[in-house]
Amino acid sequence: MTAIAVAEGDGIGQEVIPVAQDVLALLHPEYEYYPVEIGYGKWMKTGEACTADDIALLRDADAILFGAVTTPPASDYRSVVLQIRKELDLYANLRPVQGNGVDIMVVRENTEGLYSGVEWQEEDRACTLRIITRKGSERIARAACRIARERKNRLTIGNKANVIKSDAFFRDICIRTAEEEGVPYTTAFIDALTLDVLIHPDRYDVIVTTNIFGDILSDAAAYLVGGLGMLPSANIGDRHALFEPVHGSAPDIAGQGIANPVAAVRSAAMLLSHRGDTAGAAHIEEAIRLTAEAGITTRDSGGTATTAESGAAIIAALTRLME
């Protein structure tokens, strides 16, 4: 029995993840789906956003479908996302940017850098420690090389080595790894790279970079394909895998029924691909395409459909494809 942990989280996660779960259940009714309550809402009720028991439930799953969590500016609130990534060692964040002639995979190191979670505040300053290790750099570089070989065999190493010594360390490890793996590569400073991706997306295939740079680059690249409501992601480790839309909890639109479910549904497709069901994943992408062609899209994509209406149209299109 394949077990899928479903963590809706906060905000629009509670609106888009049910759509993604319905899509999965349509294709795989034999899967066991079980809820895991985590996030800011739970913290408000219990004082804990993610407990050891919650982590155990996530660890026991064959895959995790994850929504979004709100991280308030509270000194006693520990980021749930960072906690899960560290506890399950989900070191590779894969963020495909696809659509409108664009096909780029951003491979983001997921457990180190400025998101290492080593922070403190003093009277006159606040500090966040940026940690880049040889182990972390080597394994994300190898993951990027593996993905590049499966695609067009072109790798770009995004960095800021001209200013930050730890980025020179990361860049050099990636270069050495790419040479060992026999993958052709180029290097680019992340600021110039982000601009060039927006101007010439066809020049890029797989981009590997550090944690915060990968976060910013993929968010900027979302512009090319219709915004954050379209981007899925996978968080992959050696033993565990979590799939989530790139967008956050979006509290400003939560509860209004206007959130775009496509990113969450595409995250479900990535989950199926990871589980070996590439045909099911392809059906999901086709259902999304057909729904968009029919003009049934949410406000951020130029339409008028609600979250529920968009989700229902995707499921209807998927049902027809399965007949």
Side-chain angles (χ1 to χ4, degrees), residues 231-259:
L231 290 194
S233 74
N235 299 262
I236 307 295
D238 292 333
R239 297 183 179 181
H240 305 284
L242 179 151
F243 303 85
E244 61 175 332
V246 168
H247 61 68
S249 60
D252 57 324
I253 64 168
Q256 298 179 38
I258 60 174

Side-chain angles (χ1 to χ4, degrees), residues 177-286:
T177 302
E179 290 174 347
E180 291 172 355
E181 298 282 340
V183 174
Y185 68 88
T186 58
T187 67
F189 296 138
I190 195 67
D191 43 2
L193 173 61
T194 302
L195 178 60
D196 201 52
V197 163
L198 295 177
I199 298 173
H200 304 290
D202 56 300
R203 293 178 177 176
Y204 299 95
D205 180 30
V206 176
I207 302 172
V208 63
T209 190
T210 53
N211 204 324
I212 195 168
F213 290 159
D215 194 5
I216 295 169
L217 174 63
S218 57
D219 282 6
Y223 166 80
L224 296 168
V225 296
L228 289 176
M230 306 297 289
L231 290 194
S233 74
N235 299 262
I236 307 295
D238 292 333
R239 297 183 179 181
H240 305 284
L242 179 151
F243 303 85
E244 61 175 332
V246 168
H247 61 68
S249 60
D252 57 324
I253 64 168
Q256 298 179 38
I258 60 174
N260 192 338
V262 168
V265 172
R266 280 183 166 159
S267 297
M270 292 186 77
L271 186 156
L272 289 187
S273 289
H274 183 74
R275 298 292 305 167
D277 184 7
T278 54
H283 280 325
I284 291 174
E285 288 293 341
E286 179 66 5

